[in-house]
C-alpha cells in the first residue's frame, strides 16, 4: 500500500507558494494559540528569516529568544496606548521599514485575520505600495478547545460553529452581532475576548431562546502550562466566572459539544440525532 | 527594547505539553489546508515520530514521502467505501495498532475537529483504553481564505463568522443548520463541503433575508498550486459555479469581507460603520 501512496505523490509537486518568497516587504505571521510548537512551519521559517519582528503581546514570545541577534525587535505592548493610535503606529513602522528594504514580520497571536486587525495592515501596506503576504496561523477558537479536549463540531451534534468577538456587550450600539439570531443557531458558539461581557452575552443568548442548561466550557490560558478549563451552563456562567476568578485570555465554548467532551459533568441525555445522521 | 522583551521571556518557560509525549497511543494530527508547510511544528514532529500513519485523502500527502521507510502507511482513500463502514474500519485499525504498542498518527486535512470526525476516533480510543492526544491543525475555513487574500473578520465589517458544513441541502431532514437564523447573522459565512449544495444554500440565505447582492468568493484548491478564486454574489452563485465548472474541494466565503478583499469587483459602498467602531 505504501508504494501506491507514494505513486500518487509523484504526479504533482507543490510549487513554492507566494508566501515563501524571500523579498523585502511585510509578512503577517499568525503565531497560533500560545504554545510555540502550535505554529506553522512556514510561519516559523518566515520569523527566522526576518530583519525586523513586530510582536504582539499574545504572540508565542518564547520564539523571540531564538531570533538572530541582529534582528530588530519591536514590542507592540510597549507602543503608545489606545488601540487606534497603536494601530496607526504599527502601520507606520512596518511600512517604513519595508520601504527601507527590510523584510518585516508582523507576529501576532492566533490567526492574523481572526479579530487580529491584520487586514488593516494589509491595506496600509497596499496603499504604500509595499508587498504584503500572509502566513495563516492556528486559530485559537478552534485550537484552544481542541487542546482542552473539546471538538468544535461532532457528528450528529452540530453541522456548524460560530466564532464571535465578545469585546462589546450585546446592547452596545456598535456591536455588529445579532445575538437573537445567534441564539437560534443550534450549533457551537465560541466566544473570544468575552470574559468581561460573558454574563451579558449568556443572558442575551438565553433571552434569544437558547436553553439556560446549555453547557459552557471556559478554557483559560489555552495551550499554556497554566491552562485550566472551568465548566458551567449559560445559566450559571456569570456566577462561575466570578467564583473562579477567571481572567483573560480565555476561550468560551457554548453548546452540546461541551457535553460530548465532558459527559460526566453534563449527564443529561443528548437528543439522539446521530442515528438519523449517517451521511456526514 | 530587545533586552526588555527577552527579560519577559525568562519569567516562565513552556513545559512540554501533553501532546508532545512520545508514548504508544494515537495522535490525531491536523494536516492543515494542503500546503505541507501550513502544518504545525508539533504536528510535523508527531508525524515523523510515528510507527504507523493513517492518512486521509485531503491530508498534505507530499509529507508522506518524507517518512522513514519502516513506517506503516495506511491510505484511508483505499479502505472500503461508505462513510460509516470506513469510519468503523479506521477506528478498528488505529485502536488495534495502538494496543499492539505502536505510536499511531491519524493524519487528516485541516483540523481534526472541524467536520473531521476526529472526536469519533477519540471516543473509540477512550473506549478501548488507548491514550489519545490531539495536535490541532490550521483549519481550512480560516487559512484558505487568508491565503487567497480574504480576511474572515475585518474591523467595522463583522464581529463574527460562522463555519457551516454544506454537505446536506438546507431542506434535508437531517440538516442541523438553521439557514433562517444564519441569514439573519450579519457576519461572514464560510461554507465547507458545499459545492454541490451551494445553489440551494444561497437560495436559502436569500429567502432568509440576506441580500442577493451579498458578495461571495469561491476558493478552489486553496493553498495548492492549482488554487483559483471565483467571485459571485448570492444571486449569481449557482450560475457562476456552473459556468466556471467548480469542483470540490472549495471553500466558499459569503459576506462583506469579500468586498473588502476585492473592492474593484464589488464597488458598492460599504455601510460606513467604521468611524463608530473604534473600540474593536
Amino acid at each position: 500500500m505504501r508504494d501506491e501512496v507514494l505513486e500518487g505523490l509523484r504526479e504533482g509537486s507543490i510549487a513554492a507558494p507566494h508566501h515563501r518568497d524571500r523579498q523585502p516587504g511585510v509578512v503577517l505571521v499568525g503565531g497560533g494559540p500560545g504554545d510555540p510548537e502550535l505554529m506553522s512551519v512556514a510561519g516559523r521559517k518566515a520569523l527566522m528569516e526576518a530583519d525586523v519582528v513586530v510582536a504582539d503581546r499574545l504572540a508565542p514570545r518564547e520564539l523571540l529568544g531564538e531570533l538572530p541577534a541582529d534582528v530588530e525587535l519591536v514590542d507592540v505592548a510597549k507602543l503608545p496606548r489606545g488601540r487606534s493610535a497603536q494601530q496607526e503606529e504599527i502601520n507606520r513602522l512596518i511600512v517604513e521599514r519595508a520601504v527601507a528594504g527590510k523584510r518585516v514580520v508582523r507576529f501576532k497571536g492566533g490567526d492574523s485575520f481572526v479579530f487580529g486587525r491584520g487586514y488593516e495592515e494589509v491595506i496600509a501596506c497596499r496603499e504604500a505600495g509595499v508587498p504584503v503576504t500572509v502566513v495563516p496561523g492556528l486559530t485559537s477558537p478552534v485550537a484552544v478547545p481542541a487542546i482542552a479536549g473539546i471538538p468544535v463540531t461532532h457528528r450528529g451534534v452540530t453541522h456548524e460553529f460560530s466564532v464571535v468577538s465578545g469585546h462589546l456587550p450585546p446592547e452596545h450600539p456598535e456591536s455588529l452581532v445579532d445575538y437573537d439570531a445567534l441564539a437560534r443557531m443550534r450549533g457551537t458558539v465560541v466566544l473570544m475576548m468575552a470574559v468581561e461581557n460573558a454574563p451579558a452575552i449568556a443572558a442575551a443568548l438565553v433571552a434569544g431562546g437558547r436553553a439556560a442548561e446549555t453547557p459552557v466550557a471556559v478554557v483559560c490560558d489555552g495551550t499554556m502550562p497554566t491552562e485550566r478549563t472551568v465548566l458551567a451552563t449559560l445559566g450559571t456562567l456569570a456566577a462561575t466566572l466570578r467564583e473562579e476568578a477567571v481572567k483573560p485570555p480565555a476561550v468560551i465554548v457554548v453548546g452540546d459539544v461541551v457535553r460530548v467532551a465532558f459527559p460526566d459533568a453534563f449527564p443529561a441525555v443528548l437528543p439522539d440525532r446521530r442515528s438519523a445522521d449517517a451521511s456526514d
Side-chain angles (χ1 to χ4, degrees), chain A:
Chain A
M1 183 175 277
R2 185 182 170 83
D3 280 355
E4 291 166 57
V5 175
L6 297 181
E7 184 63 37
L9 296 177
R10 284 181 210 116
E11 288 167 19
S13 75
I14 313 294
H18 43 303
H19 61 270
R20 256 177 275 157
D21 297 343
R22 201 185 180 299
Q23 306 281 347
V26 173
V27 189
L28 300 187
V29 173
D35 179 331
E37 295 213 336
L38 291 179
M39 187 173 157
S40 73
V41 172
R44 188 174 285 208
K45 195 178 286 186
L47 187 67
M48 295 306 158
E49 290 178 348
D51 301 313
V52 181
V53 173
V54 181
D56 272 0
R57 192 173 55 83
L58 289 177
R61 297 166 73 96
E62 185 159 286
L63 291 172
L64 301 178
E66 296 177 22
L67 295 175
D70 60 345
V71 171
E72 184 194 2
L73 196 52
V74 180
D75 186 355
V76 166
K78 297 196 164 55
L79 292 180
R81 289 287 164 161
R83 291 199 65 168
S84 290
Q86 198 177 68
Q87 188 61 53
E88 276 168 34
E89 176 66 7
I90 293 166
N91 294 353
R92 193 191 59 73
L93 67 84
I94 62 178
V95 164
E96 193 179 82
R97 281 157 178 78
V99 167
K102 305 287 189 186
R103 182 164 168 92
V104 181
V105 162
R106 180 70 178 97
F107 190 41
K108 293 167 182 275
D111 180 86
S112 305
F113 288 162
V114 175
F115 311 129
R117 301 182 71 149
Y119 208 78
E120 294 179 55
E121 295 166 18
V122 169
I123 292 172
C125 289
R126 288 212 180 125
E127 286 176 354
V130 164
V132 56
T133 54
V134 179
V135 181
L138 282 98
T139 189
S140 301
V142 170
V144 165
I147 289 285
I150 306 165
V152 291
T153 72
H154 185 59
R155 186 168 68 114
V157 172
T158 177
H159 292 158
E160 44 84 7
F161 65 100
S162 297
V163 178
V164 177
S165 168
H167 75 288
L168 293 178
E171 70 278 14
H172 196 288
E174 290 160 22
S175 172
L176 298 177
V177 183
D178 184 331
Y179 282 95
D180 272 340
L182 186 62
R184 278 181 55 202
M185 301 279 286
R186 281 187 274 180
T188 307
V189 177
V190 186
L191 301 169
M192 307 296 294
M193 300 175 285
V195 171
E196 189 185 348
N197 295 314
I201 290 170
L205 291 174
V206 172
R210 196 105 193 206
E213 294 72 29
T214 305
V216 178
V218 183
V219 187
C220 310
D221 293 345
T223 84
M224 304 301 284
T226 50
E227 175 182 313
R228 67 172 176 139
T229 299
V230 172
L231 299 178
T233 65
L234 282 178
T236 66
L237 182 60
T240 302
L241 290 174
R242 205 168 49 235
E243 285 157 18
E244 298 282 343
V246 168
K247 299 265 177 297
V251 173
I252 303 178
V253 186
V254 178
D256 279 331
V257 290
V258 176
R259 194 190 307 275
V260 171
F262 301 100
D264 297 338
F266 300 100
V269 178
L270 272 177
D272 186 16
R273 300 194 282 212
R274 200 171 312 177
S275 58
D277 188 46
S279 58
D280 64 334

